[in-house]
Amino acid sequence: MNKPKKVAILTAGGLAPCLNSAIGSLIERYTEIDPSIEIICYRGGYKGLLLGDSYPVTAEVRAKAGLLQRFGGSVIGNSRVKLTNIKDCVKRGLVKEGEDPQKVAADQLIKDGVDILHTIGGDDTNTAAADLAAFLAKNNYGLTVIGLPKTVDNDVFPIKQSLGAWTAAEQGARYFMNVVAENNSNPRMLIVHEVMGRNCGWLTAATAQEYRKLLDRAEWLPELGLSRESYEVHAVFVPEMAIDLEAEAARLRAVMDKVDCVNIFVSEGAGVEAIVAELQAKGQEVPRDAFGHIKLDAVNPGKWFGEQFAQMIGAEKTLVQKSGYFARAAAANVDDMRLIKSCADLAVECAFRRESGVMGHDEDNGNVLRAIEFPRIKGGKPFNIDTDWFTQTLAEIGQKKGGKVEVSH
């Protein structure tokens, strides 16, 4: 084995309930194996790498790295920086005009004496890591890049389960358990729970499932109006499933007439194409981020769905609530911590072998946990609406499954 001399860690992209846990797990594992291996953490993701801004992992930090398991977010900070988007990097003052951000990053790693770079992020982060790894190899820099897959959407191909997604579903369910009581505040109440998921409905479906588990464990007093029916999920809308608005409105109106409220779970990416077309028809510009993704806050799918259904089902009041920031900033739960630890341990093992890749259970290779080759990593893995537990959820809430929709990434 080829012992690393200096290791760097960075987190990037949006938050997920795994970042601090992954940082802490990597630091602890390196320290267990050989505390003489130097570690630094770049501040603010790829931004910190480009600027040479990092935290040294001191002996005191190593001793207390376990504390990170208790907190959500990323203590070392994130940023949405794409190294191949030269124009954006120049505009943000991260590189000078005429400089190649990938070369600037590579040269900074050499300057800092780093021979192993751990990137913790989603498909955009790992795509950037793949580009950087290819650049390093092509130009003989002799550095190894090892990724950990973070995303609450659980949409990284070919990884079976991305870090943080289980926790996000659990936390989204907890969030809605409080919000749903708002149906007591007004007759004929429509509550729209918007869940994160740009191109993938996994988190919305999983959050609905986790929420219904909470309902399964609750006790009810229908004689005084405390009924499961008013707390129930009445519809789940995801990007991969077609929606018959009129048929659903008719079904949900019957629910409203009977229960006096309707609760809808909707992915933030559901119906986006229809919404964007509507905005563009009005001559409105649709803003996009550095990666070319539509800024969903500007599109506001939850509000759109609320407006579409409110009149059709005779709602007197509509409440739209988003659980995304609550869910994604949570500390990792026990299941995620177990997954994170196994991925971090393998990442350190791969560092000693100088084996690049993204840690994950490879769906194309018997779901074995391994370093998946960077060129095979891509985002946009759709949620399979024919998954048994989702099919069962729809059947139990009385919603007809729509046809499959091809979702662009």
Side-chain angles (χ1 to χ4, degrees), residues 217-257:
R217 295 195 289 269
E219 292 186 66
W220 307 99
L221 187 60
E223 296 82 0
L224 198 61
L226 181 60
S227 67
R228 172 164 180 159
E229 288 76 17
S230 62
Y231 277 70
E232 185 58 90
V233 179
H234 299 122
V236 182
F237 299 130
V238 296
E240 297 88 348
M241 188 173 72
I243 305 165
D244 185 334
L245 283 175
E246 289 190 6
E248 276 299 286
R251 181 181 72 85
L252 294 174
R253 182 159 195 132
V255 172
M256 180 70 86
D257 292 342

Side-chain angles (χ1 to χ4, degrees), residues 186-204:
N186 205 81
R188 300 188 70 83
M189 182 81 157
L190 169 61
I191 302 180
V192 179
H193 179 194
E194 185 179 315
V195 183
M196 282 188 165
R198 176 184 297 278
N199 302 105
C200 179
W202 182 91
L203 182 58
T204 301

